[in-house]
Amino acid sequence: MDLRPRLTLAMIIYIARRLTQGVVVLLAVSLICFIIFRYAGDPVVTLAGRYATLQEREMVRKAFGLDRPFYIQYTRFIANAAQGNFGKSFVSRVPAFGLIIERFPATVELATSAIFISFVLGVGLGVLVSLKPYALRNRFIMAGSLFNISMPTFLTGILLIMVFAVYLKVLPPFGRGETVTIGFWRTGFLTWSGITHLILPAFTLGMYQLAVLLRLTRAGMREVLTEEYIKTAWAKGLPPMKVIFKHALRNALIPVVTMTGLQFGELIAFSIITETIFQWPGMGNLLLTSIYESDQPVIVTYIMLAALIILSLNIIVDILYAYLNPKIRYD
Amino acid sequence: MKRISVLLLLGIFMGTLLSLTGQAIGASSIVVAVDTPPRTMNPHGSDADANLSVMANFFEGLLQRKAPEGNLFPALAVRYEHPDLLTWKLYLRKGVRFHNGNPFTAEDVKFSFERLSNPDVSEFINTGKSIASIDIVDDYTVVIKTKDPIPWFANNLHQIYMMDKESTEARDPGEAEVKPIGTGAYKLVEWVKGSYVKMKANEDYWEGPPLIKNVELRPITESSTRFAALASAQVELVSGVPVELYEKVLENPKLDVITRPARRSIFLALGNKPGSPWKDIRVRKAMYMAINEDEIIEKIMRGHAAPAAQVPDPPTIGYNPEIKRLAYNPELARKLLKEAGYERGFEITLSGPNDRYVQDEKIAEAVAKYLAKVGIKAKLDVKPKSIFFPQVARGELEFYLIGWFDGTFDMGRTYFKLAHSRDAVRGFGGLNGTNFSDPTIDTLLEPTGSIVDREKRKKVLQDLNKMAMMDKIVWIPLHYQQDIYAVQKGKGIKFQPRPDRWIVFKEISK
Amino acid sequence: MTKRFFKSEILHNFFHDPSALVGSFLLVVSILAAIFAPLIAPQNPYDLEKVSLEHFLKPPIWMEGGEGPFLLGTDDQGRGILSTILYGCRTSMTVGFGVVLIAGTFGVTMGLLAGYYGGLLDSLTMRLADTFFSFSTTLMAILMLGLFKERGVLVVIIAICIADWVRYARTMRGSVLEVKEEVYIMAAKATGSGDFRLLLRHLLPNAIPPIFVVIAVDLAVVIMLEATLSFLGVGVPLTEPSLGMMISIGKDYVYAGMWWLVVFPGAALVLLVVGINLFADWLREELNPKIQR
């Protein structure tokens, strides 16, 4: 049987369909945002100033197009969004898209560090536990993992701050520290202060799925370790490290990786919480501030951007999955 | 053995971290934490004090206010004349240059004042629209005529910042929102939103170069984080020390605390819906007397407030020392309610912001409790200021907590905004969220615009104030907030707080 | 399979599994605390007439300055921590069970219909479910509450349900597809009973067991989510009790050394969720024939 991946007609149709679906979902998302918009707070006072008269407020309403009918505001938004123009922030009067993109590097660095931590610890501990499930140490790890999934991210963050910043005073509790700009990318990876500031938030964000990864790895390993070919490998006297990592883990990791790819929305959500607790100057922190200030252009841009990222990742994961696995039904 | 070396390594690691979290700050530099981030670098883009405070370092008005009393001094204008009720003639300072090297002239003044009326870039529309004409007499003389007499016009000139006409028109409008070009004592180095604003001294500043050469301003909205930054010596000066951590700051031998009575008063605005129980003056008095303001100050404000009996504060024209608070007296309050026919009480919704004033939502919560004890069921409805203030402006709330501070030091403007009947055409009562309307007050207030004589003006406004507070109970005053700052000791930082809570770095030395 | 659930074998396993016992103990205690909060709490922290600033920021009773009846101390409005925790559990439970009920009913129905009828209905439902799933319940709830201006328990429930039903729908559909082909259902169909009867009488009871695990897991997730939302200030309003809100108030006092304002509500929240998770773990292993115990 030939299992090499091929780009068949069915495959192309599948990709095209997934892309169309993606666009439809994006349009739906933007429409929902706008419908709820109409019933939300009035930004006119913020824009016109506290001392503005009623007449002046009306003038501002017109200047920002807030007096136009719903569908006109909406179509204008879509037309602009297609050109990368998502409207101006009510609060800071600069393009909302720019505001968010400016904060993109901070969030990406936090999120990748968190994924790295949760992956290394989660998979590492998962393997450890699966080898001797009933050892005392591993029972402790499993009990710890239970506490880990039962501890909401915000509480993890506060407790870490209490211990490491308030009582031990060894790690900074907020902000990003010194940063270095390379081209358009502002990075905190290259300074010592940047790295110390990263530790607590990265751990906090990493914790939310550490236990999930641990459990998935453990379950996967336990299943794989009972398979014939692993038993054969042990019997052949291959070095244990090779058996565990090369043969067993590779297969056990497939669900772990798929899970990570598909649960990207979770990562974004938990980054909002983490960034707020640590005052991390990323997109999530901006979103929450904008929610408090009812800065709707920023909220909508954030939602659209998050939707775009999540949908693209999903489609990529799906297509790769279909590409690598020719037996899948394209439905 | 292995364990010991691991512990050793861990110890070294922690030690390094410890030594690196508190970085040394240079002698001519200062790192300051404030509670609210700037929203824009456009000097007209926000009328919030948090923003004006930052802008005061890059830009200047025609006049300036100086610490500690906030009195007016010349800035970009050396003097002004006020020949008639509508005319202001200003003589500009010569030889001043913007950060980009352009000279400051009358053209820039005209441009800046006209820019105020553009809602796309300005929150000072009200000021902009009050101006009838701006005439350039020569390069250094400007005549401004207002539409109506505005006695407090000059009092406002310190926060109307002058922009460079040439570069502002040439640049992309978006750039003016992020890259300030002013005449101020500092130039912007870098603004990373949500993290910091860095500025450096303007060596060509007309008053002479400022003493502090490098400034880093860090907005930290979370109060406990602000404290943490101070305690770990990451910042040297903090504005807005949280009251709940005040004792902690006092206990810390490395910190100095500076407090000053703030000018902002906090009060409750009572609605005027016809037929509602609180339209009855007895009920209004009862609600006033039901509130134990001393306990609020002691427990919620931790002593960092002074009781208020009126909206304006002592330095404001119109402040009346004869007005006294109605004393806390729940029994009398219940009696008054009984008299008014509300023995069983009534229901009312108490609104308020939860992110604006010191302990705002906690004060509202406490008020609801006091009212409950005389039988009035106050439903609490606190929300972010972005939702709350528009509701006030639209007059939708029946009872709310709000604060007021008039940068002009004149009660006239306060009353035109808060107490005059709503009048969209003439622009009165824009923040009269309770829809208060009283012909006596309106007729007394309207002619005050033309009274220029300071003593006469003071007298009229004082009488007006007394009538509103004591006869009509337009508002229930609570207290004046206190501003609390903390600085690192032993660094030689000389800092005097200002009444408007701005932090102007040229006034600080080290 | 439903019958098997009630067989003594399972009950036997339950009583011999310490984690299941601990878990259900914690769960039962929390549910009782929530139901009987008004009876057992020393004070009603949300009765404005009873709460007074006089008793503000008292430490727990065994510490210096502590006083009765405030066993675990008070917060900055004079509310007893213990009482507020008990009332907070009520909100947690209301939101938890509210979401399970609404999202569960909707999700199970959608999964049942999609799995049974297949075709367009199935692909539409599942496409929608996939989208919501990848956005995640947490993100959807934060974004929805960001756009809504109303605040309250019901609003929180709705915001969570918007994406949460997907968990039920996906599991239910999978389960239906598994049991659908079973012979007796075919037989039932052959004797001419209607679709509705078939769905309700045969398919639903046989396909539902995996949903029990989903309910248990979901309850834990939703309770944590409610606390998170209230902590962030977009959940229940200040006037309603919530463990998340308590922690949010308490965090401002952490630096002042008043650890009880965070530690007690935090511990209550974690114990509650641990209990549910322990129970869920036991249930999962019990209902999953693949894992040998």
Side-chain angles (χ1 to χ4, degrees):
Chain A
M1 198 163 106
D2 184 10
L3 282 179
R4 272 177 310 164
R6 275 166 308 183
L7 201 63
T8 57
L9 184 66
M11 184 83 206
I12 293 169
I13 293 173
Y14 174 71
I15 294 175
R17 255 176 59 192
R18 287 295 279 116
L19 287 176
T20 328
Q21 280 164 357
V23 173
V24 171
V25 172
L26 272 181
L27 280 173
V29 168
S30 69
L31 186 64
I32 292 168
C33 289
F34 251 82
I35 289 169
I36 296 170
F37 244 38
R38 295 287 289 177
Y39 302 99
D42 189 354
V44 169
V45 174
T46 322
L47 287 169
R50 267 172 297 166
Y51 303 126
T53 62
L54 301 174
Q55 249 183 341
E56 287 153 6
R57 292 207 189 105
E58 281 316 303
M59 204 171 93
V60 170
R61 196 182 295 281
K62 286 210 176 72
F64 279 80
L66 295 168
D67 61 327
R68 312 293 295 277
F70 167 70
Y71 65 95
I72 291 183
Q73 285 188 45
Y74 177 64
T75 33
R76 202 162 69 170
F77 173 79
I78 292 296
N80 283 331
Q83 302 159 26
N85 173 8
F86 288 82
K88 277 185 183 177
S89 154
F90 285 157
V91 172
S92 53
R93 296 157 191 269
V94 291
F97 185 70
L99 271 182
I100 292 180
I101 285 302
E102 216 175 346
R103 307 230 184 180
F104 188 65
T107 299
V108 169
E109 288 188 359
L110 175 62
T112 44
S113 313
I115 292 180
F116 179 77
I117 290 171
S118 64
F119 222 86
V120 169
L121 283 181
V123 172
L125 291 175
V127 170
L128 202 68
V129 172
S130 67
L131 295 180
K132 284 179 189 163
Y134 299 106
L136 186 64
R137 175 188 61 191
N138 296 338
R139 280 181 179 267
F140 266 113
I141 294 177
M142 287 314 289
S145 87
L146 180 75
F147 268 92
N148 184 262
I149 54 166
S150 308
M151 178 95 83
T153 301
F154 75 93
L155 196 56
T156 313
I158 289 182
L159 292 180
L160 285 178
I161 289 179
M162 269 172 92
V163 173
F164 289 98
V166 180
Y167 290 107
L168 295 178
K169 297 194 174 73
V170 285
L171 287 170
F174 73 98
R176 226 184 147 194
E178 292 295 314
T179 50
V180 178
T181 318
I182 302 169
F184 68 95
W185 194 275
R186 181 179 295 280
T187 178
F189 283 151
L190 298 175
T191 65
W192 184 243
S193 135
I195 289 175
T196 54
H197 279 80
L198 183 63
I199 296 175
L200 289 186
F203 263 91
T204 305
L205 182 54
M207 285 302 159
Y208 90 92
Q209 62 168 11
L210 188 132
V212 177
L213 293 187
L214 191 159
R215 288 169 164 230
L216 270 178
T217 312
R218 172 174 163 266
M221 284 296 281
R222 275 172 76 181
E223 227 163 273
V224 173
L225 286 176
T226 58
E227 301 265 341
E228 265 327 296
Y229 70 94
I230 297 292
K231 285 180 180 158
T232 319
W234 287 121
K236 276 202 283 186
L238 289 177
M241 282 298 167
K242 201 173 173 187
V243 180
I244 294 165
F245 287 102
K246 198 164 173 211
H247 297 284
L249 187 59
R250 249 170 66 171
N251 287 307
L253 271 187
I254 294 173
V256 178
V257 174
T258 320
M259 189 68 177
T260 316
L262 287 180
Q263 285 277 62
F264 205 74
E266 289 268 274
L267 184 71
I268 293 183
F270 286 100
S271 76
I272 298 175
I273 301 159
T274 310
E275 288 182 9
T276 306
I277 293 167
F278 289 95
Q279 307 232 324
W280 188 261
M283 296 157 53
N285 194 349
L286 177 71
L287 173 77
L288 222 66
T289 319
S290 304
I291 288 177
Y292 298 144
E293 292 178 329
S294 45
D295 194 346
Q296 290 163 351
V298 179
I299 303 177
V300 168
T301 311
Y302 182 94
I303 297 178
M304 296 298 290
L305 219 59
L308 189 70
I309 293 173
I310 292 170
L311 287 173
S312 320
L313 270 168
N314 267 2
I315 293 174
I316 291 169
V317 169
D318 278 1
I319 291 174
L320 275 179
Y321 201 73
Y323 187 68
L324 295 174
N325 193 353
K327 282 185 281 184
I328 195 170
R329 278 166 50 208
Y330 302 117
D331 59 357
Chain B
M1 270 325 274
K2 216 170 143 194
R3 267 199 196 146
I4 294 173
S5 59
V6 167
L7 277 179
L8 205 68
L9 263 177
L10 202 69
I12 294 173
F13 176 67
M14 288 302 196
T16 338
L17 287 186
L18 199 63
S19 61
L20 279 154
T21 42
Q23 298 141 335
I25 300 162
S28 61
S29 305
I30 193 165
V31 183
V32 176
V34 293
D35 50 12
T36 314
R39 302 189 332 200
T40 171
M41 291 293 148
N42 164 11
H44 307 144
S46 163
D47 68 349
D49 277 309
N51 221 76
L52 294 171
S53 165
V54 180
M55 289 304 109
N57 294 295
F58 303 129
F59 294 93
E60 289 173 292
L62 294 174
L63 303 176
Q64 62 176 327
R65 289 186 185 277
K66 286 194 176 177
E69 293 312 322
N71 294 330
L72 279 174
F73 287 90
L76 291 180
V78 286
R79 64 192 173 87
Y80 66 87
E81 289 162 4
H82 186 28
D84 60 68
L85 283 176
L86 300 177
T87 312
W88 300 81
K89 189 171 187 186
L90 296 132
Y91 299 91
L92 306 183
R93 189 176 296 278
K94 290 173 186 161
V96 177
R97 287 183 180 275
F98 285 98
H99 296 159
N100 61 0
N102 284 353
F104 165 73
T105 64
E107 284 290 347
D108 300 313
V109 177
K110 187 173 161 69
F111 170 78
S112 299
F113 273 97
E114 282 171 356
R115 193 170 183 264
L116 298 181
S117 314
N118 178 359
D120 278 341
V121 294
S122 165
E123 277 193 3
F124 288 88
I125 304 174
N126 195 250
T127 311
K129 290 278 169 187
S130 67
I131 294 168
S133 67
I134 305 160
D135 295 313
I136 298 174
V137 180
D138 61 48
D139 266 3
Y140 295 99
T141 318
V142 180
V143 172
I144 297 178
K145 282 192 186 292
T146 58
K147 288 175 185 161
D148 297 301
I150 306 177
W152 57 83
F153 184 77
N155 290 357
N156 201 21
L157 287 180
H158 67 290
Q159 52 188 1
I160 304 298
Y161 295 121
M162 294 300 116
M163 293 181 86
D164 177 28
K165 177 173 195 250
E166 185 270 326
S167 66
T168 310
E169 283 179 339
R171 292 194 296 171
D172 177 72
E175 213 190 297
E177 302 280 349
V178 290
K179 295 211 170 81
I181 298 177
T183 58
Y186 288 88
K187 297 177 180 178
L188 177 74
V189 176
E190 194 185 22
W191 177 30
V192 179
K193 294 184 199 82
S195 296
Y196 56 78
V197 181
K198 281 184 181 162
M199 29 184 127
K200 66 166 195 279
N202 174 8
E203 295 297 332
D204 304 321
Y205 185 55
W206 60 268
E207 276 184 359
L211 293 169
I212 305 266
K213 299 301 176 196
N214 297 295
V215 173
E216 186 177 331
L217 183 82
R218 292 203 198 148
I220 306 177
T221 43
E222 196 68 45
S223 60
S224 48
T225 316
R226 210 153 54 237
F227 170 81
L230 186 71
S232 60
Q234 294 191 34
V235 297
E236 293 168 301
L237 168 63
V238 162
S239 158
V241 172
V243 290
E244 62 268 24
L245 293 169
Y246 180 77
E247 279 91 24
K248 272 283 163 195
V249 180
L250 275 186
E251 271 170 29
N252 192 327
K254 288 180 190 152
L255 302 176
D256 260 333
V257 183
I258 304 168
T259 56
R260 80 157 281 150
R263 302 206 43 222
R264 176 166 281 117
S265 59
I266 303 296
F267 54 93
L268 300 167
L270 253 175
N272 294 281
K273 199 166 72 192
S276 61
W278 48 92
K279 191 76 184 137
D280 187 318
I281 190 76
R282 288 169 297 189
V283 173
R284 291 170 98 93
K285 279 190 176 152
M287 291 171 79
Y288 195 147
M289 286 188 284
I291 297 165
N292 187 349
E293 175 56 31
D294 291 339
E295 194 175 52
I296 292 182
I297 292 177
E298 186 202 331
K299 296 278 167 74
I300 293 181
M301 304 300 290
R302 302 304 185 88
H304 298 295
Q310 51 195 304
V311 173
D313 65 328
T316 303
I317 303 171
Y319 173 84
N320 189 340
E322 285 171 26
I323 305 175
K324 296 276 180 273
R325 282 190 62 84
L326 296 184
Y328 169 60
N329 191 339
E331 288 78 39
L332 192 55
R334 260 185 237 112
K335 224 172 101 188
L336 278 170
L337 284 174
K338 195 176 172 184
E339 261 177 54
Y342 297 105
E343 200 181 351
R344 299 227 186 99
F346 51 85
E347 281 183 23
I348 190 167
T349 301
L350 170 58
S351 310
N354 58 11
D355 53 356
R356 182 69 189 86
Y357 312 112
V358 179
Q359 304 283 68
D360 41 18
E361 66 180 359
K362 315 241 149 150
I363 301 170
E365 262 190 281
V367 167
K369 274 187 208 129
Y370 293 127
L371 293 178
K373 292 188 174 78
V374 297
I376 300 170
K377 282 169 209 66
K379 195 175 158 280
L380 203 59
D381 172 36
V382 290
K383 44 196 131 193
K385 54 178 182 273
S386 57
I387 303 169
F388 171 74
F389 282 109
Q391 290 182 324
V392 171
R394 289 194 300 264
E396 288 171 358
L397 305 171
E398 53 188 17
F399 184 37
Y400 57 87
L401 178 138
I402 197 167
W404 188 261
F405 152 64
D406 212 309
T408 62
F409 287 73
D410 192 296
M411 201 194 85
R413 187 172 78 155
T414 309
Y415 268 51
F416 271 114
K417 290 288 156 202
L418 299 183
H420 195 287
S421 306
R422 283 179 172 255
D423 184 338
V425 181
R426 288 192 292 171
F428 298 149
L431 272 177
N432 182 350
T434 59
N435 300 313
F436 178 79
S437 176
D438 187 289
T440 338
I441 294 224
D442 289 354
T443 39
L444 275 173
L445 185 60
E446 272 165 34
T448 60
S450 324
I451 308 173
V452 185
D453 179 76
R454 206 185 148 87
E455 280 311 307
K456 230 172 107 190
R457 189 171 168 73
K458 191 171 154 188
K459 180 82 190 59
V460 177
L461 289 178
Q462 280 185 341
D463 291 346
L464 195 61
N465 194 4
K466 194 171 175 183
M467 180 195 239
M469 297 313 297
M470 300 190 62
D471 303 341
K472 316 266 177 199
I473 317 266
V474 180
W475 307 288
I476 300 173
L478 295 175
H479 53 251
Y480 301 110
Q481 287 180 190
Q482 193 175 44
D483 294 335
I484 315 175
Y485 305 82
V487 290
Q488 299 284 345
K489 246 185 217 170
K491 301 233 175 169
I493 298 167
K494 288 190 192 64
F495 164 73
Q496 276 186 315
R498 298 162 54 102
D500 51 17
R501 236 185 129 216
W502 295 6
I503 297 184
V504 178
F505 294 107
K506 68 177 184 184
E507 295 175 350
I508 302 177
S509 67
K510 194 173 172 182
Chain C
M1 270 181 232
T2 320
K3 277 174 206 137
R4 211 190 79 189
F5 183 72
F6 295 107
K7 262 194 204 161
S8 59
E9 187 198 337
I10 288 186
L11 284 177
H12 175 86
N13 287 345
F14 178 81
F15 284 110
H16 287 80
D17 186 326
S19 63
L21 283 176
V22 172
S24 33
F25 172 74
L26 286 171
L27 187 58
V28 169
V29 167
S30 316
I31 292 176
L32 290 179
I35 294 173
F36 296 109
L39 296 179
I40 46 179
Q43 104 193 108
N44 175 358
Y46 291 86
D47 180 351
L48 295 173
E49 278 180 62
K50 301 277 162 53
V51 182
S52 164
L53 273 183
E54 229 175 279
H55 311 285
F56 91 131
L57 293 174
K58 297 280 178 207
I61 198 157
W62 59 87
M63 285 169 68
E64 206 189 316
E67 63 176 58
F70 309 110
L71 284 176
L72 302 181
T74 61
D75 73 0
D76 58 357
Q77 288 285 337
R79 285 181 289 245
I81 300 289
L82 177 64
S83 309
T84 318
I85 288 177
L86 290 173
Y87 277 82
C89 272
R90 283 194 125 183
T91 307
S92 299
M93 290 293 175
T94 313
V95 173
F97 284 106
V99 170
V100 165
L101 194 71
I102 297 174
T105 311
F106 184 70
V108 165
T109 314
M110 291 307 278
L112 193 63
L113 295 177
Y116 179 70
Y117 288 108
L120 188 64
L121 178 74
D122 185 32
S123 44
L124 271 182
T125 314
M126 284 305 118
R127 207 24 89 194
L128 198 63
D130 284 350
T131 311
F132 278 125
F133 180 73
S134 50
F135 269 82
S136 94
T137 308
T138 315
L139 184 62
M140 280 304 273
I142 294 177
L143 294 180
M144 282 303 123
L145 290 165
L147 291 173
F148 290 148
K149 284 293 162 274
E150 298 301 316
R151 293 282 176 264
V153 172
L154 193 63
V155 183
V156 171
I157 293 179
I158 292 169
I160 296 177
C161 282
I162 285 175
D164 200 58
W165 62 273
V166 167
R167 293 170 200 272
Y168 297 91
R170 286 165 70 109
T171 310
M172 193 61 194
R173 174 178 174 268
S175 181
V176 167
L177 289 182
E178 249 175 57
V179 299
K180 197 160 102 172
E181 308 299 329
E182 283 182 32
V183 186
Y184 64 93
I185 289 191
M186 293 312 214
K189 198 167 190 176
T191 59
S193 52
D195 268 8
F196 189 69
R197 190 183 148 81
L198 184 73
L199 275 173
L200 234 56
R201 292 288 292 273
H202 298 285
L203 213 45
L204 184 66
N206 284 291
I208 205 118
I211 292 294
F212 294 134
V213 180
V214 180
I215 289 179
V217 172
D218 195 38
L219 196 58
V221 169
V222 170
I223 286 176
M224 285 202 286
L225 184 51
E226 181 275 322
T228 303
L229 294 170
S230 300
F231 174 83
L232 291 178
V234 294
V236 303
L238 192 65
T239 44
E240 284 169 61
S242 158
L243 296 174
M245 180 69 82
M246 290 182 80
I247 296 170
S248 161
I249 293 172
K251 76 173 191 306
D252 292 340
Y253 291 92
V254 161
Y255 288 94
M258 301 177 191
W259 51 270
W260 60 88
L261 291 171
V262 165
V263 169
F264 292 134
L269 179 61
V270 172
L271 283 180
L272 171 56
V273 178
V274 163
I276 300 171
N277 277 329
L278 277 175
F279 185 74
D281 274 359
W282 171 79
L283 203 59
R284 184 186 296 118
E285 302 237 330
E286 203 57 48
L287 293 176
N288 188 349
K290 271 187 214 154
I291 297 174
Q292 266 86 48
R293 291 169 56 86

